[in-house]
Amino acid sequence: MTTTARYAVIGHPITHSRSPEIHMAFAKQLGIDLHYERIDPTPASFEQTVQQFFAQGGLGANVTVPFKEQAWQMARAHLSARARDAGAVNTLWQSTGQLHGCNTDGVGLVSDLLRLGVKLPGANILMLGAGGAARGVLGPLLDSGCNHVRVLNRTAQRAHRLISDWLASHPEQAKYISAGGLDELDPETSWDLVINATSSSLQGQSVSMPALRFDADTFAYDMMYGGQLTAFLQQAQQAGCRHLADGLGMLVSQAAESFYIWRSRRPAVAPVIDAMRLELQRAVR
Ligand code: ATR
């Protein structure tokens, strides 16, 4: 008798999560019988929900807002290096009865940038924002061989704190990373890649900052995504940027990394990104 492998995404709220359709598409591609559900616990019942899910035979779970730090705490005895650096866990699984955690957001971003043809080795990168989303991707970005990552945030102090926390565990990376306020943005500095890791596009707002310089080759990437250009990408386009991408590819790529952790098989991301893009565009028409 074969039993269907059970996976889930756990978050609050969770009704709009795209993870089930992404993972079901991966499973279909690879001929795997898999069930992937949405679970919406209260903040107080998150731990119990995770324990119950695995006790009842669940094989792997994605964790999303607002539980990624709680998942990190739960799996703190068995964290991957990526999860330790990110301070948050988005992928859980069990091995010999122990809960393990990883964070696939950063590696998802980097693999999407590579898919889009962005040249990361030697790149000068400007990252806007210093919250959890920024912290989650810092490690894989720095590992990509880039020349420098400058993290600027509306609240400068938060960017400085992020970088000093980072350097406390990675002192050898001091020359590759710097921090400041968005108001310190020099309009004359040119960037190879500008990443919006703020939550501004979620609220449909542009990033509050002085004019940003975009050269012919500068790439603008928003970690948020939607059926039309996000507010930040519109801002970049109006400033003359010609290479624009939103975070749909990152979403699918981070899911592919979770899938790989759970199943040791790598699904193709491109057909899933294309199908979801069509669906998103149809929804806004
Ligand atoms: P997340 O986990 O998504 O990173 P967060 O930790 O609440 O969420 O961080 C949100 C980030 O977006 C912060 O860097 C925030 O800047 P502040 O630290 O100054 O609050 C940034 N942010 C949100 N809206 C913004 C806007 N309109 N312009 C610039 N930065 C914005």
Side-chain angles (χ1 to χ4, degrees):
M1 195 184 83
T2 56
T3 48
T4 305
R6 275 186 65 211
Y7 296 86
V9 58
I10 307 176
H12 179 76
I14 202 64
T15 31
H16 294 107
S17 170
R18 303 266 169 180
S19 293
E21 67 183 278
I22 298 173
H23 284 277
M24 295 306 278
F26 290 162
K28 194 168 166 204
Q29 232 184 63
L30 298 169
I32 295 170
D33 182 19
L34 176 154
H35 175 73
Y36 190 108
E37 64 196 283
R38 293 182 179 86
I39 303 180
D40 187 351
T42 60
S45 64
F46 172 74
E47 250 190 78
Q48 196 193 351
T49 303
V50 170
Q51 281 158 356
Q52 230 166 39
F53 175 75
F54 285 105
Q56 290 169 354
L59 295 182
N62 284 127
V63 178
T64 186
V65 180
F67 300 125
K68 289 183 181 185
E69 284 80 16
Q70 261 176 282
W72 190 96
Q73 281 297 338
M74 283 187 79
R76 67 187 176 281
H78 302 283
L79 292 171
S80 67
R82 286 172 189 160
R84 260 197 309 275
D85 281 348
V89 154
N90 75 341
T91 308
L92 289 170
W93 70 99
Q94 271 194 329
S95 176
T96 58
Q98 305 290 312
L99 192 64
H100 288 244
C102 185
N103 189 309
T104 64
D105 289 331
V107 74
L109 170 66
V110 167
S111 65
D112 196 41
L113 290 168
L114 297 175
R115 180 186 71 88
L116 292 162
V118 178
K119 289 184 190 62
L120 291 172
N124 286 316
I125 302 175
L126 171 63
M127 182 145 72
L128 307 170
R135 180 172 175 184
V137 301
L138 208 46
L141 267 184
L142 287 163
D143 287 347
S144 71
C146 62
N147 182 54
H148 197 86
V149 179
R150 180 140 176 83
V151 179
L152 298 185
N153 196 45
R154 186 171 57 185
T155 315
Q157 198 191 8
R158 202 169 171 198
H160 287 294
R161 203 179 328 123
L162 172 67
I163 298 314
S164 60
D165 284 355
W166 183 266
L167 291 177
S169 48
H170 302 276
E172 74 289 354
Q173 292 180 334
K175 68 175 180 182
Y176 300 108
I177 190 165
S178 62
L182 283 174
D183 53 354
E184 293 169 53
L185 189 59
D186 173 7
E188 293 313 311
T189 306
S190 68
W191 303 98
D192 298 302
L193 172 64
V194 180
I195 299 173
N196 181 26
T198 76
S199 54
S200 61
S201 294
L202 257 191
Q203 299 114 33
Q205 292 172 358
S206 47
V207 180
S208 357
M209 62 180 173
L212 187 53
R213 171 171 159 179
F214 287 100
D215 293 333
D217 293 332
T218 308
F219 207 102
Y221 192 99
D222 196 337
M223 286 168 54
M224 302 291 155
Y225 67 90
Q228 47 202 6
L229 274 192
T230 65
F232 167 70
L233 292 177
Q234 288 178 33
Q235 196 176 1
Q237 192 178 45
Q238 278 155 17
C241 182
R242 294 189 292 148
H243 307 284
L244 310 164
D246 72 9
L248 181 64
M250 174 181 171
L251 175 78
V252 177
S253 302
Q254 62 77 29
E257 283 295 322
S258 298
F259 196 92
Y260 180 70
I261 289 171
W262 297 329
R263 309 292 313 192
S264 305
R265 295 186 65 189
R266 257 182 213 292
V269 294
V272 181
I273 295 170
D274 292 346
M276 290 185 68
R277 176 70 66 201
L278 274 179
E279 210 184 293
L280 279 172
Q281 287 168 343
R282 230 176 269 137
V284 294
R285 255 183 236 142

Coordinates of all heavy atoms in Angstrom, one line a residue, residues 126-174:
L126 N 23.0 47.4 -4.4 CA 22.4 48.2 -3.4 C 21.1 47.5 -2.9 O 20.3 47.1 -3.7 CB 21.9 49.5 -4.1 CG 21.0 50.5 -3.2 CD1 21.7 50.9 -2.0 CD2 20.6 51.7 -4.1
M127 N 21.1 47.2 -1.6 CA 19.9 46.6 -1.0 C 19.1 47.6 -0.2 O 19.6 48.2 0.7 CB 20.2 45.4 -0.2 CG 19.0 44.7 0.3 SD 19.1 42.9 0.4 CE 20.2 42.8 1.8
L128 N 17.8 47.8 -0.6 CA 17.0 48.8 0.1 C 16.2 48.0 1.2 O 15.5 47.0 0.8 CB 16.0 49.4 -0.9 CG 16.7 50.1 -2.1 CD1 15.7 50.5 -3.1 CD2 17.5 51.3 -1.6
G129 N 16.3 48.4 2.4 CA 15.5 47.7 3.5 C 16.5 46.9 4.4 O 17.5 46.4 4.0
A130 N 16.1 46.8 5.7 CA 16.9 46.1 6.6 C 16.1 45.3 7.6 O 16.5 45.1 8.8 CB 17.8 47.1 7.4
G131 N 14.9 44.8 7.2 CA 14.1 44.0 8.0 C 14.4 42.5 7.8 O 15.5 42.2 7.3
G132 N 13.5 41.7 8.2 CA 13.7 40.2 8.1 C 14.0 39.8 6.7 O 14.8 38.9 6.5
A133 N 13.3 40.4 5.7 CA 13.5 40.0 4.3 C 14.9 40.2 3.9 O 15.5 39.4 3.2 CB 12.5 40.7 3.4
A134 N 15.5 41.4 4.3 CA 16.9 41.7 3.9 C 17.9 40.7 4.6 O 18.8 40.2 3.9 CB 17.2 43.1 4.3
R135 N 17.7 40.5 5.9 CA 18.6 39.6 6.6 C 18.6 38.2 6.0 O 19.6 37.6 5.9 CB 18.2 39.6 8.1 CG 19.1 38.7 8.8 CD 18.9 38.7 10.3 NE 19.8 37.7 10.9 CZ 19.8 37.4 12.2 NH1 19.1 38.0 13.0 NH2 20.7 36.4 12.6
G136 N 17.4 37.8 5.6 CA 17.3 36.4 5.0 C 18.1 36.2 3.8 O 18.4 35.0 3.5
V137 N 18.4 37.2 3.0 CA 19.1 37.0 1.7 C 20.6 37.4 1.7 O 21.3 37.2 0.8 CB 18.3 37.7 0.6 CG1 16.9 37.1 0.5 CG2 18.3 39.2 0.7
L138 N 21.0 38.1 2.8 CA 22.3 38.6 2.9 C 23.4 37.6 2.6 O 24.3 37.8 1.8 CB 22.5 39.3 4.2 CG 23.4 40.5 4.4 CD1 23.3 41.5 3.3 CD2 23.3 41.1 5.7
G139 N 23.3 36.5 3.3 CA 24.4 35.5 3.2 C 24.6 35.0 1.8 O 25.7 35.0 1.2
P140 N 23.6 34.4 1.1 CA 23.7 33.9 -0.2 C 24.2 35.0 -1.2 O 24.9 34.8 -2.1 CB 22.3 33.4 -0.6 CG 21.8 32.9 0.7 CD 22.3 33.9 1.7
L141 N 23.7 36.3 -1.0 CA 24.2 37.4 -1.9 C 25.7 37.6 -1.7 O 26.4 37.7 -2.7 CB 23.5 38.7 -1.5 CG 22.2 39.1 -2.2 CD1 21.8 40.5 -1.7 CD2 22.3 39.0 -3.7
L142 N 26.2 37.6 -0.5 CA 27.6 37.8 -0.2 C 28.4 36.6 -0.7 O 29.5 36.8 -1.2 CB 27.9 38.0 1.3 CG 27.4 39.4 1.8 CD1 27.3 39.4 3.3 CD2 28.4 40.5 1.3
D143 N 27.8 35.4 -0.7 CA 28.5 34.2 -1.2 C 28.6 34.2 -2.7 O 29.2 33.3 -3.2 CB 27.8 33.0 -0.7 CG 28.0 32.7 0.8 OD1 28.9 33.4 1.4 OD2 27.3 31.9 1.4
S144 N 27.8 35.1 -3.4 CA 27.7 35.0 -4.8 C 29.0 35.5 -5.5 O 29.1 35.5 -6.7 CB 26.5 35.7 -5.3 OG 26.7 37.1 -5.2
G145 N 29.9 36.1 -4.7 CA 31.1 36.6 -5.3 C 31.0 38.1 -5.7 O 31.8 38.6 -6.4
C146 N 29.9 38.8 -5.2 CA 29.8 40.2 -5.5 C 30.9 41.0 -4.9 O 31.6 40.6 -4.0 CB 28.4 40.6 -5.0 SG 28.2 40.5 -3.3
N147 N 31.0 42.2 -5.4 CA 32.1 43.1 -4.9 C 31.7 43.8 -3.6 O 32.5 43.9 -2.6 CB 32.4 44.2 -5.9 CG 33.5 45.1 -5.5 OD1 34.6 44.6 -5.2 ND2 33.2 46.4 -5.5
H148 N 30.4 44.2 -3.5 CA 30.0 45.0 -2.3 C 28.4 44.9 -2.2 O 27.8 45.1 -3.2 CB 30.4 46.4 -2.4 CG 30.4 47.1 -1.1 ND1 31.4 47.0 -0.1 CD2 29.4 47.8 -0.5 CE1 31.0 47.7 1.0 NE2 29.8 48.2 0.8
V149 N 27.9 44.8 -1.0 CA 26.5 45.0 -0.8 C 26.3 46.2 0.2 O 26.8 46.2 1.3 CB 25.8 43.7 -0.1 CG1 24.3 44.0 0.1 CG2 26.0 42.5 -1.0
R150 N 25.6 47.2 -0.3 CA 25.3 48.4 0.5 C 23.9 48.3 1.0 O 23.0 48.3 0.1 CB 25.6 49.7 -0.2 CG 25.4 50.9 0.5 CD 26.4 52.0 0.3 NE 26.2 53.2 1.0 CZ 26.5 53.5 2.3 NH1 27.0 52.6 3.0 NH2 26.2 54.7 2.8
V151 N 23.7 48.2 2.3 CA 22.3 48.1 2.8 C 21.8 49.5 3.3 O 22.4 50.0 4.2 CB 22.3 47.1 3.9 CG1 20.8 47.0 4.5 CG2 22.8 45.7 3.5
L152 N 20.8 50.0 2.7 CA 20.3 51.3 3.1 C 18.9 51.2 3.6 O 18.1 50.5 2.9 CB 20.4 52.4 1.9 CG 21.8 52.7 1.4 CD1 21.7 53.8 0.4 CD2 22.7 53.1 2.5
N153 N 18.6 51.8 4.7 CA 17.2 51.7 5.2 C 16.7 53.0 5.6 O 17.4 53.9 6.0 CB 17.3 50.8 6.5 CG 15.9 50.3 6.9 OD1 15.1 49.9 6.0 ND2 15.6 50.3 8.1
R154 N 15.3 53.2 5.6 CA 14.7 54.4 6.0 C 15.1 54.8 7.4 O 15.5 55.9 7.6 CB 13.2 54.2 5.9 CG 12.3 55.4 6.2 CD 10.9 55.0 5.9 NE 10.4 53.9 6.7 CZ 9.2 53.4 6.5 NH1 8.3 53.9 5.7 NH2 8.8 52.4 7.3
T155 N 15.1 53.8 8.3 CA 15.7 54.0 9.6 C 17.1 53.5 9.6 O 17.4 52.3 9.7 CB 14.9 53.2 10.7 OG1 13.5 53.4 10.4 CG2 15.2 53.6 12.1
A156 N 18.1 54.5 9.5 CA 19.5 54.1 9.3 C 20.0 53.2 10.4 O 20.7 52.2 10.1 CB 20.3 55.4 9.3
Q157 N 19.6 53.4 11.6 CA 20.0 52.7 12.8 C 19.8 51.2 12.6 O 20.6 50.3 13.0 CB 19.3 53.2 14.0 CG 19.9 52.8 15.3 CD 19.0 53.2 16.5 OE1 17.8 53.5 16.2 NE2 19.4 53.1 17.7
R158 N 18.7 50.9 12.0 CA 18.3 49.4 11.8 C 19.3 48.8 10.8 O 19.6 47.6 10.9 CB 16.9 49.3 11.3 CG 16.2 48.0 11.6 CD 14.7 48.1 11.3 NE 14.2 46.8 11.4 CZ 13.0 46.5 10.8 NH1 12.3 47.4 10.2 NH2 12.5 45.2 10.9
A159 N 19.7 49.5 9.8 CA 20.6 49.0 8.8 C 22.0 48.8 9.5 O 22.7 47.7 9.3 CB 20.8 49.9 7.6
H160 N 22.4 49.7 10.3 CA 23.7 49.6 11.0 C 23.6 48.4 12.0 O 24.6 47.7 12.1 CB 24.0 50.9 11.8 CG 24.4 52.0 10.9 ND1 25.6 52.0 10.1 CD2 23.8 53.2 10.5 CE1 25.7 53.1 9.4 NE2 24.6 53.8 9.6
R161 N 22.5 48.2 12.6 CA 22.4 47.1 13.5 C 22.5 45.7 12.8 O 23.2 44.8 13.2 CB 21.1 47.2 14.3 CG 21.2 46.4 15.6 CD 19.9 46.5 16.5 NE 19.2 47.7 16.4 CZ 17.9 47.8 16.0 NH1 17.2 46.7 15.7 NH2 17.3 49.0 16.0
L162 N 21.8 45.7 11.6 CA 21.8 44.5 10.8 C 23.3 44.1 10.4 O 23.7 43.0 10.6 CB 21.0 44.7 9.6 CG 21.0 43.5 8.5 CD1 20.4 42.3 9.1 CD2 20.3 43.9 7.2
I163 N 24.0 45.1 10.0 CA 25.4 44.9 9.5 C 26.3 44.5 10.7 O 27.1 43.6 10.6 CB 25.9 46.1 8.7 CG1 25.0 46.3 7.5 CG2 27.4 45.9 8.3 CD1 24.7 45.1 6.7
S164 N 26.1 45.2 11.8 CA 27.0 44.9 12.9 C 26.7 43.5 13.5 O 27.6 42.8 13.8 CB 27.1 46.0 14.0 OG 25.8 46.2 14.5
D165 N 25.5 43.1 13.5 CA 25.1 41.7 13.9 C 25.8 40.7 13.0 O 26.3 39.7 13.4 CB 23.6 41.5 13.9 CG 22.9 42.2 15.1 OD1 23.6 42.7 15.9 OD2 21.6 42.1 15.1
W166 N 25.7 41.1 11.7 CA 26.2 40.2 10.7 C 27.7 40.0 10.8 O 28.3 38.9 10.8 CB 25.9 40.7 9.3 CG 26.4 39.8 8.2 CD1 27.6 39.8 7.6 CD2 25.7 38.6 7.7 NE1 27.7 38.8 6.7 CE2 26.5 38.0 6.8 CE3 24.4 38.1 8.0 CZ2 26.2 36.9 6.1 CZ3 24.1 36.9 7.3 CH2 25.0 36.3 6.4
L167 N 28.4 41.2 11.0 CA 29.9 41.1 11.1 C 30.4 40.5 12.4 O 31.5 40.0 12.4 CB 30.4 42.5 10.9 CG 30.3 43.1 9.5 CD1 30.8 44.5 9.4 CD2 30.9 42.2 8.4
A168 N 29.5 40.5 13.4 CA 29.9 39.8 14.6 C 30.2 38.3 14.4 O 31.1 37.7 15.0 CB 28.8 40.0 15.7
S169 N 29.4 37.7 13.5 CA 29.6 36.3 13.2 C 30.4 36.1 11.9 O 30.8 35.0 11.6 CB 28.3 35.5 13.1 OG 27.4 36.2 12.4
H170 N 30.6 37.2 11.1 CA 31.4 37.1 9.8 C 32.3 38.2 9.7 O 32.3 39.0 8.7 CB 30.4 37.1 8.6 CG 29.4 36.0 8.6 ND1 29.6 34.7 8.2 CD2 28.1 36.0 9.1 CE1 28.5 34.0 8.3 NE2 27.6 34.7 8.9
P171 N 33.3 38.4 10.6 CA 34.1 39.6 10.6 C 35.0 39.7 9.3 O 35.3 40.8 8.9 CB 35.0 39.4 11.8 CG 34.9 38.0 12.2 CD 33.6 37.5 11.7
E172 N 35.3 38.5 8.7 CA 36.1 38.6 7.5 C 35.4 39.2 6.3 O 36.0 39.5 5.3 CB 36.5 37.1 7.1 CG 35.4 36.2 6.5 CD 34.3 35.8 7.5 OE1 34.4 36.1 8.7 OE2 33.3 35.1 7.0
Q173 N 34.1 39.5 6.4 CA 33.3 40.1 5.3 C 33.2 41.6 5.4 O 32.5 42.2 4.6 CB 32.0 39.5 5.2 CG 32.1 38.0 4.7 CD 30.7 37.3 4.6 OE1 29.8 37.7 5.3 NE2 30.7 36.3 3.8
A174 N 33.9 42.2 6.3 CA 33.8 43.7 6.6 C 33.9 44.5 5.3 O 33.2 45.5 5.2 CB 34.7 44.1 7.7

